[in-house]
Amino acid sequence: MREQLLAAEKVKAIEWRDGVLHLLDQRALPFEETWLSYHAAADVAEAIRSMVVRGAPAIGISAAYAIVLALRARLQAGGDWRAALDADFQLLADSRPTAVNLFWALKCMRDRLDRLKSTDDPLALLEACAVGIHQGDREANLTMAELGVDLIRRHQGNQQNLLTHCNAGALATGGFGTALGVIRAAFHDGLLERVYADETRPWLQGSRLTAWELAADGIPVTVNADSAAAHLMKTRGITWVIVGADRIAANGDVANKIGTYQLAVNAMHHGVRFMVVAPSSTIDMATEHGDDIVLEERDASELLALGGKRIAGDIDALNPVFDVTPADLIDFIVTEKGVVDRPDTEKMAQLMCRKRLH
Ligand code: MRU
C-alpha cells in the first residue's frame, strides 16, 4: 500500500529548495497553479495568515522552514542573533491561533536551537530539523492511511461512500494527507464507491482543493453544499465521515474546520461512523478540554463576498472558522502512533506514551 500511494503522488504544497521555501498559492487553486518563493520569515508568517498555505501540518512545516530563513538572516546581521530570533518565533506564532502543529513545529525548532553546542553549525542543524519535521509528516501520512483503511475494511467492507469536510489532503500536509490519505488508500484497495466533499464555506477548501486533488488522482468525487450533508447521509448511503483536525485536546475533543461538529451530530443520528485522522503533532496534551481551544474568527468580509464580489449588503456577519467536536461523538482517532476508539482522557494519554508505528 505504501508503494502504491508513493507511486500515485501528484500534488504537493511545499518545497524547500536551495535554502528557499516555495509554496503553492492555495488561494488561486484550482484554476491557477502559482508557486511563490519565500526568503524571509515575516513573509512566510503573512503567507500563513493570508492562507497561501493552510491546513494544520502544512502550516507547521512552513513555520519550521521560516525559522531557518530567519536564522540565516539573523546570523548574517551579526550581534545577538539568538535574542533577535525570538521576534521571528513570536511573529510566526501569531500568524494563526488554532492549529497546534504550528506551535509544535516552533517548539521543535526552539528545542533544537537550545541544544546547539558552541562547535555546531546552527544553520545546518536547524535546516536538518525542519526537513525532519517535513519528512516525519510524510511518513505519518502513510502510516495513518494504512491504519485508517484497515478500520474501513474491518468495519464495513466494499463500496463505501465517504464524506469529507474541508481539505485534509496533500495540500494541507507534507505528504498525501490525513483524511485524504485514508480515502486515497481506500480507493487503491477497491473499497471506495464515491467521495462526497462538503464545499466548506466560506473558503471553499472542499470544492476548490479537495475535489481538485481527488479528481487529479481519478478518485470519484462529488461536491455538495455543506447544508446537504444530513440529507446525503439519509439518501446516499454514506458509511463514514472522515476528517482531519487542527487541535485535539487531552480528552479527545477535536477542533477542526467549522461545520465538522454538525457533521458529527448528524453522523451519530444516521449511524454513520466518524473518523478523525491526524498526526500526534495535532494532539495538545496541555489543553485539557476542547472548550479551552482558541478558535480562530476571521474577517466577516470572507463570508459576505464570493470570488471578490460582494454577495450581501452592509450587515453584521460572524465568521468562526473552526469548531469543536466533543469526543463522545467520535468513533476513531487515527494517528501514526495507533488508533484510539471512542476517545477519552485515559486512552489519549496511553496513545501519547506510545512510539510511532513506522
Ligand atoms: O483554515 P484551514 O484551511 O487551514 O483549515 C484546515 C482544516 O480545518 C483541516 O481540516 C485541518 O487543518 C486538518 S489538515 C490535515
Side-chain angles (χ1 to χ4, degrees), residues 51 53-57 59 96 99 165-169 172-173 177-179 203 205 209 243-246 256-258 277 279 296 298 321-322:
M51 314 268 286
V53 61
R54 31 70 46 204
I59 292 171
R96 287 189 79 185
H165 191 65
C166 195
N167 172 267
T173 63
T178 54
W203 260 82
Q205 289 94 332
L209 309 179
V243 294
D246 277 78
N256 191 48
K257 181 53 58 193
I258 190 77
V277 189
E296 180 181 10
R298 293 180 70 90
V321 299
F322 296 103

mmCIF file of all heavy atoms in Angstrom, residues 51 53-57 59 96 99 165-169 172-173 177-179 203 205 209 243-246 256-258 277 279 296 298 321-322, ligand 1:
data_model
loop_
_atom_site.group_PDB
_atom_site.id
_atom_site.type_symbol
_atom_site.label_atom_id
_atom_site.label_comp_id
_atom_site.label_asym_id
_atom_site.label_seq_id
_atom_site.Cartn_x
_atom_site.Cartn_y
_atom_site.Cartn_z
ATOM 1 N N MET A 51 -3.507 32.564 4.076
ATOM 2 C CA MET A 51 -3.954 31.283 3.519
ATOM 3 C C MET A 51 -3.315 30.911 2.173
ATOM 4 O O MET A 51 -3.874 30.104 1.437
ATOM 5 C CB MET A 51 -5.485 31.230 3.388
ATOM 6 C CG MET A 51 -6.258 31.700 4.592
ATOM 7 S SD MET A 51 -6.688 30.386 5.742
ATOM 8 C CE MET A 51 -7.986 29.517 4.890
ATOM 9 N N VAL A 53 -0.714 29.185 2.285
ATOM 10 C CA VAL A 53 -0.546 27.818 2.788
ATOM 11 C C VAL A 53 -1.517 27.661 3.946
ATOM 12 O O VAL A 53 -1.687 28.577 4.744
ATOM 13 C CB VAL A 53 0.932 27.544 3.200
ATOM 14 C CG1 VAL A 53 1.397 28.457 4.313
ATOM 15 C CG2 VAL A 53 1.146 26.091 3.589
ATOM 16 N N ARG A 54 -2.206 26.484 3.988
ATOM 17 C CA ARG A 54 -3.180 26.277 5.074
ATOM 18 C C ARG A 54 -3.246 24.771 5.331
ATOM 19 O O ARG A 54 -2.650 23.975 4.614
ATOM 20 C CB ARG A 54 -4.549 26.907 4.783
ATOM 21 C CG ARG A 54 -5.030 27.012 3.401
ATOM 22 C CD ARG A 54 -5.411 25.706 2.712
ATOM 23 N NE ARG A 54 -6.233 24.840 3.554
ATOM 24 C CZ ARG A 54 -6.323 23.552 3.435
ATOM 25 N NH1 ARG A 54 -5.620 22.881 2.534
ATOM 26 N NH2 ARG A 54 -7.086 22.832 4.223
ATOM 27 N N GLY A 55 -3.998 24.410 6.385
ATOM 28 C CA GLY A 55 -4.002 23.015 6.814
ATOM 29 C C GLY A 55 -2.964 22.860 7.914
ATOM 30 O O GLY A 55 -1.812 23.310 7.753
ATOM 31 N N ALA A 56 -3.374 22.239 9.029
ATOM 32 C CA ALA A 56 -2.536 22.265 10.238
ATOM 33 C C ALA A 56 -1.087 21.787 10.024
ATOM 34 O O ALA A 56 -0.143 22.526 10.346
ATOM 35 C CB ALA A 56 -3.230 21.475 11.348
ATOM 36 N N PRO A 57 -0.865 20.576 9.465
ATOM 37 C CA PRO A 57 0.536 20.152 9.329
ATOM 38 C C PRO A 57 1.328 21.037 8.370
ATOM 39 O O PRO A 57 2.504 21.338 8.626
ATOM 40 C CB PRO A 57 0.412 18.717 8.783
ATOM 41 C CG PRO A 57 -0.963 18.272 9.207
ATOM 42 C CD PRO A 57 -1.822 19.490 9.114
ATOM 43 N N ILE A 59 0.983 24.193 7.799
ATOM 44 C CA ILE A 59 1.326 25.443 8.485
ATOM 45 C C ILE A 59 2.563 25.226 9.374
ATOM 46 O O ILE A 59 3.499 26.035 9.387
ATOM 47 C CB ILE A 59 0.133 25.929 9.341
ATOM 48 C CG1 ILE A 59 -1.039 26.364 8.449
ATOM 49 C CG2 ILE A 59 0.545 27.074 10.262
ATOM 50 C CD1 ILE A 59 -2.328 26.661 9.220
ATOM 51 N N ARG A 96 -1.559 32.314 13.020
ATOM 52 C CA ARG A 96 -2.910 31.736 13.156
ATOM 53 C C ARG A 96 -2.975 31.036 14.517
ATOM 54 O O ARG A 96 -2.000 30.412 14.935
ATOM 55 C CB ARG A 96 -3.232 30.742 12.025
ATOM 56 C CG ARG A 96 -3.483 31.429 10.679
ATOM 57 C CD ARG A 96 -4.011 30.469 9.636
ATOM 58 N NE ARG A 96 -5.438 30.194 9.789
ATOM 59 C CZ ARG A 96 -6.098 29.302 9.049
ATOM 60 N NH1 ARG A 96 -5.457 28.584 8.136
ATOM 61 N NH2 ARG A 96 -7.392 29.109 9.223
ATOM 62 N N ALA A 99 -4.446 25.866 14.862
ATOM 63 C CA ALA A 99 -3.693 24.653 14.509
ATOM 64 C C ALA A 99 -2.476 24.506 15.429
ATOM 65 O O ALA A 99 -1.540 25.296 15.358
ATOM 66 C CB ALA A 99 -3.247 24.719 13.052
ATOM 67 N N HIS A 165 -14.755 16.806 4.810
ATOM 68 C CA HIS A 165 -15.015 18.228 5.009
ATOM 69 C C HIS A 165 -13.689 18.978 4.933
ATOM 70 O O HIS A 165 -12.666 18.465 5.371
ATOM 71 C CB HIS A 165 -15.641 18.412 6.398
ATOM 72 C CG HIS A 165 -16.201 19.785 6.634
ATOM 73 N ND1 HIS A 165 -17.267 20.292 5.933
ATOM 74 C CD2 HIS A 165 -15.846 20.757 7.514
ATOM 75 C CE1 HIS A 165 -17.552 21.507 6.375
ATOM 76 N NE2 HIS A 165 -16.698 21.822 7.321
ATOM 77 N N CYS A 166 -13.729 20.184 4.380
ATOM 78 C CA CYS A 166 -12.521 20.995 4.236
ATOM 79 C C CYS A 166 -11.510 20.286 3.336
ATOM 80 O O CYS A 166 -11.892 19.498 2.465
ATOM 81 C CB CYS A 166 -11.920 21.333 5.604
ATOM 82 S SG CYS A 166 -10.706 22.676 5.536
ATOM 83 N N ASN A 167 -10.230 20.535 3.529
ATOM 84 C CA ASN A 167 -9.198 19.815 2.787
ATOM 85 C C ASN A 167 -8.157 19.317 3.764
ATOM 86 O O ASN A 167 -7.463 20.109 4.402
ATOM 87 C CB ASN A 167 -8.528 20.695 1.728
ATOM 88 C CG ASN A 167 -7.334 19.986 1.105
ATOM 89 O OD1 ASN A 167 -6.195 20.136 1.551
ATOM 90 N ND2 ASN A 167 -7.575 19.156 0.116
ATOM 91 N N ALA A 168 -8.111 17.999 3.906
ATOM 92 C CA ALA A 168 -7.103 17.368 4.755
ATOM 93 C C ALA A 168 -6.288 16.444 3.869
ATOM 94 O O ALA A 168 -6.128 15.257 4.141
ATOM 95 C CB ALA A 168 -7.766 16.621 5.904
ATOM 96 N N GLY A 169 -5.776 17.022 2.778
ATOM 97 C CA GLY A 169 -5.070 16.228 1.781
ATOM 98 C C GLY A 169 -3.622 16.619 1.622
ATOM 99 O O GLY A 169 -3.003 17.175 2.544
ATOM 100 N N ALA A 172 -2.656 20.092 2.473
ATOM 101 C CA ALA A 172 -2.712 20.505 3.881
ATOM 102 C C ALA A 172 -1.591 19.884 4.722
ATOM 103 O O ALA A 172 -1.524 20.133 5.930
ATOM 104 C CB ALA A 172 -4.066 20.105 4.476
ATOM 105 N N THR A 173 -0.739 19.085 4.075
ATOM 106 C CA THR A 173 0.261 18.313 4.834
ATOM 107 C C THR A 173 1.599 18.305 4.079
ATOM 108 O O THR A 173 1.726 18.921 3.027
ATOM 109 C CB THR A 173 -0.204 16.843 4.994
ATOM 110 O OG1 THR A 173 -0.289 16.268 3.676
ATOM 111 C CG2 THR A 173 -1.550 16.729 5.673
ATOM 112 N N GLY A 177 -1.780 13.508 2.818
ATOM 113 C CA GLY A 177 -2.949 13.955 3.550
ATOM 114 C C GLY A 177 -3.269 13.028 4.702
ATOM 115 O O GLY A 177 -2.762 11.906 4.791
ATOM 116 N N THR A 178 -4.110 13.534 5.578
ATOM 117 C CA THR A 178 -4.560 12.747 6.725
ATOM 118 C C THR A 178 -5.866 12.044 6.331
ATOM 119 O O THR A 178 -5.847 10.879 5.955
ATOM 120 C CB THR A 178 -4.732 13.670 7.944
ATOM 121 O OG1 THR A 178 -5.605 14.758 7.600
ATOM 122 C CG2 THR A 178 -3.392 14.220 8.391
ATOM 123 N N ALA A 179 -6.991 12.789 6.372
ATOM 124 C CA ALA A 179 -8.265 12.187 5.942
ATOM 125 C C ALA A 179 -8.167 11.727 4.487
ATOM 126 O O ALA A 179 -8.592 10.616 4.146
ATOM 127 C CB ALA A 179 -9.392 13.203 6.113
ATOM 128 N N TRP A 203 -14.277 29.460 2.659
ATOM 129 C CA TRP A 203 -13.061 29.433 1.844
ATOM 130 C C TRP A 203 -13.107 28.398 0.725
ATOM 131 O O TRP A 203 -12.205 28.331 -0.102
ATOM 132 C CB TRP A 203 -11.830 29.198 2.748
ATOM 133 C CG TRP A 203 -11.139 30.495 3.019
ATOM 134 C CD1 TRP A 203 -11.474 31.434 3.950
ATOM 135 C CD2 TRP A 203 -10.035 31.035 2.295
ATOM 136 N NE1 TRP A 203 -10.651 32.507 3.870
ATOM 137 C CE2 TRP A 203 -9.743 32.298 2.865
ATOM 138 C CE3 TRP A 203 -9.256 30.588 1.240
ATOM 139 C CZ2 TRP A 203 -8.711 33.104 2.395
ATOM 140 C CZ3 TRP A 203 -8.232 31.385 0.775
ATOM 141 C CH2 TRP A 203 -7.968 32.630 1.355
ATOM 142 N N GLN A 205 -12.588 25.190 0.685
ATOM 143 C CA GLN A 205 -11.475 24.227 0.610
ATOM 144 C C GLN A 205 -11.944 22.913 -0.006
ATOM 145 O O GLN A 205 -11.168 22.187 -0.622
ATOM 146 C CB GLN A 205 -10.899 23.953 2.008
ATOM 147 C CG GLN A 205 -10.113 25.080 2.623
ATOM 148 C CD GLN A 205 -10.955 25.961 3.513
ATOM 149 O OE1 GLN A 205 -12.164 26.089 3.311
ATOM 150 N NE2 GLN A 205 -10.348 26.591 4.512
ATOM 151 N N LEU A 209 -10.217 22.681 -3.440
ATOM 152 C CA LEU A 209 -8.968 21.950 -3.179
ATOM 153 C C LEU A 209 -9.161 20.434 -3.121
ATOM 154 O O LEU A 209 -8.483 19.685 -3.828
ATOM 155 C CB LEU A 209 -8.342 22.456 -1.862
ATOM 156 C CG LEU A 209 -8.170 23.984 -1.729
ATOM 157 C CD1 LEU A 209 -7.563 24.349 -0.371
ATOM 158 C CD2 LEU A 209 -7.298 24.534 -2.858
ATOM 159 N N VAL A 243 -12.465 13.050 8.534
ATOM 160 C CA VAL A 243 -11.979 14.438 8.569
ATOM 161 C C VAL A 243 -10.591 14.518 9.218
ATOM 162 O O VAL A 243 -10.161 13.562 9.876
ATOM 163 C CB VAL A 243 -12.954 15.360 9.364
ATOM 164 C CG1 VAL A 243 -14.293 15.495 8.660
ATOM 165 C CG2 VAL A 243 -13.134 14.868 10.796
ATOM 166 N N GLY A 244 -9.948 15.647 9.052
ATOM 167 C CA GLY A 244 -8.684 15.922 9.734
ATOM 168 C C GLY A 244 -8.942 16.679 11.026
ATOM 169 O O GLY A 244 -10.076 16.726 11.523
ATOM 170 N N ALA A 245 -7.903 17.277 11.590
ATOM 171 C CA ALA A 245 -8.048 18.040 12.832
ATOM 172 C C ALA A 245 -6.998 19.127 12.890
ATOM 173 O O ALA A 245 -5.912 19.005 12.307
ATOM 174 C CB ALA A 245 -7.905 17.129 14.042
ATOM 175 N N ASP A 246 -7.330 20.198 13.587
ATOM 176 C CA ASP A 246 -6.369 21.289 13.822
ATOM 177 C C ASP A 246 -5.763 21.239 15.216
ATOM 178 O O ASP A 246 -4.657 21.722 15.449
ATOM 179 C CB ASP A 246 -7.040 22.642 13.605
ATOM 180 C CG ASP A 246 -7.033 22.971 12.135
ATOM 181 O OD1 ASP A 246 -7.875 22.417 11.406
ATOM 182 O OD2 ASP A 246 -6.144 23.729 11.700
ATOM 183 N N ASN A 256 -11.704 21.344 14.484
ATOM 184 C CA ASN A 256 -11.463 21.244 13.034
ATOM 185 C C ASN A 256 -12.327 22.289 12.336
ATOM 186 O O ASN A 256 -13.067 23.037 12.991
ATOM 187 C CB ASN A 256 -11.773 19.821 12.539
ATOM 188 C CG ASN A 256 -11.285 19.587 11.115
ATOM 189 O OD1 ASN A 256 -10.136 19.913 10.786
ATOM 190 N ND2 ASN A 256 -12.132 19.050 10.247
ATOM 191 N N LYS A 257 -12.246 22.317 11.034
ATOM 192 C CA LYS A 257 -12.944 23.326 10.226
ATOM 193 C C LYS A 257 -14.403 23.457 10.620
ATOM 194 O O LYS A 257 -15.084 22.452 10.853
ATOM 195 C CB LYS A 257 -12.812 22.926 8.751
ATOM 196 C CG LYS A 257 -13.447 23.844 7.744
ATOM 197 C CD LYS A 257 -13.030 25.281 7.883
ATOM 198 C CE LYS A 257 -11.530 25.484 7.771
ATOM 199 N NZ LYS A 257 -11.113 26.840 8.220
ATOM 200 N N ILE A 258 -14.874 24.680 10.674
ATOM 201 C CA ILE A 258 -16.258 24.960 11.048
ATOM 202 C C ILE A 258 -17.210 24.083 10.204
ATOM 203 O O ILE A 258 -17.049 24.001 8.984
ATOM 204 C CB ILE A 258 -16.579 26.476 10.881
ATOM 205 C CG1 ILE A 258 -17.915 26.831 11.493
ATOM 206 C CG2 ILE A 258 -16.500 26.931 9.441
ATOM 207 C CD1 ILE A 258 -17.897 26.925 12.980
ATOM 208 N N VAL A 277 -8.569 11.793 11.436
ATOM 209 C CA VAL A 277 -7.216 11.332 11.096
ATOM 210 C C VAL A 277 -6.257 12.499 11.295
ATOM 211 O O VAL A 277 -6.418 13.549 10.655
ATOM 212 C CB VAL A 277 -7.161 10.838 9.630
ATOM 213 C CG1 VAL A 277 -5.833 10.150 9.351
ATOM 214 C CG2 VAL A 277 -8.332 9.920 9.313
ATOM 215 N N PRO A 279 -1.923 13.495 12.709
ATOM 216 C CA PRO A 279 -0.665 13.058 13.336
ATOM 217 C C PRO A 279 -0.635 13.466 14.810
ATOM 218 O O PRO A 279 -1.376 14.369 15.226
ATOM 219 C CB PRO A 279 0.400 13.819 12.535
ATOM 220 C CG PRO A 279 -0.304 15.019 11.994
ATOM 221 C CD PRO A 279 -1.737 14.620 11.772
ATOM 222 N N GLU A 296 -10.171 30.305 15.912
ATOM 223 C CA GLU A 296 -9.969 31.498 15.082
ATOM 224 C C GLU A 296 -11.293 32.017 14.527
ATOM 225 O O GLU A 296 -12.142 31.242 14.084
ATOM 226 C CB GLU A 296 -9.046 31.113 13.914
ATOM 227 C CG GLU A 296 -8.741 32.240 12.951
ATOM 228 C CD GLU A 296 -7.831 31.766 11.797
ATOM 229 O OE1 GLU A 296 -7.593 30.544 11.650
ATOM 230 O OE2 GLU A 296 -7.373 32.635 11.047
ATOM 231 N N ARG A 298 -12.314 34.778 11.583
ATOM 232 C CA ARG A 298 -11.723 35.605 10.535
ATOM 233 C C ARG A 298 -12.688 36.712 10.144
ATOM 234 O O ARG A 298 -13.833 36.735 10.581
ATOM 235 C CB ARG A 298 -11.331 34.727 9.333
ATOM 236 C CG ARG A 298 -10.196 33.763 9.686
ATOM 237 C CD ARG A 298 -9.795 32.884 8.531
ATOM 238 N NE ARG A 298 -9.122 33.597 7.473
ATOM 239 C CZ ARG A 298 -7.805 33.777 7.389
ATOM 240 N NH1 ARG A 298 -7.017 33.309 8.350
ATOM 241 N NH2 ARG A 298 -7.274 34.419 6.366
ATOM 242 N N VAL A 321 -14.023 30.101 12.138
ATOM 243 C CA VAL A 321 -13.583 29.172 11.092
ATOM 244 C C VAL A 321 -13.263 27.770 11.616
ATOM 245 O O VAL A 321 -12.897 26.900 10.836
ATOM 246 C CB VAL A 321 -12.439 29.761 10.236
ATOM 247 C CG1 VAL A 321 -12.918 31.039 9.544
ATOM 248 C CG2 VAL A 321 -11.184 30.022 11.038
ATOM 249 N N PHE A 322 -13.391 27.572 12.920
ATOM 250 C CA PHE A 322 -13.226 26.228 13.485
ATOM 251 C C PHE A 322 -14.330 25.979 14.503
ATOM 252 O O PHE A 322 -14.909 26.930 15.043
ATOM 253 C CB PHE A 322 -11.855 26.077 14.165
ATOM 254 C CG PHE A 322 -10.715 26.204 13.188
ATOM 255 C CD1 PHE A 322 -9.974 27.368 13.110
ATOM 256 C CD2 PHE A 322 -10.402 25.170 12.326
ATOM 257 C CE1 PHE A 322 -8.951 27.503 12.186
ATOM 258 C CE2 PHE A 322 -9.377 25.286 11.398
ATOM 259 C CZ PHE A 322 -8.650 26.462 11.335
HETATM 260 O O1 MRU B 1 -8.499 27.051 7.599
HETATM 261 P P1 MRU B 1 -7.738 25.861 7.093
HETATM 262 O O2 MRU B 1 -7.956 25.597 5.644
HETATM 263 O O3 MRU B 1 -6.296 25.932 7.475
HETATM 264 O O4 MRU B 1 -8.373 24.648 7.893
HETATM 265 C C1 MRU B 1 -7.878 23.365 7.646
HETATM 266 C C2 MRU B 1 -8.644 22.302 8.350
HETATM 267 O O5 MRU B 1 -9.554 22.556 9.090
HETATM 268 C C3 MRU B 1 -8.170 20.895 8.137
HETATM 269 O O6 MRU B 1 -9.230 20.004 8.238
HETATM 270 C C4 MRU B 1 -7.136 20.548 9.230
HETATM 271 O O7 MRU B 1 -6.141 21.525 9.274
HETATM 272 C C5 MRU B 1 -6.521 19.238 9.004
HETATM 273 S S1 MRU B 1 -5.395 19.253 7.624
HETATM 274 C C6 MRU B 1 -4.642 17.748 7.534
#
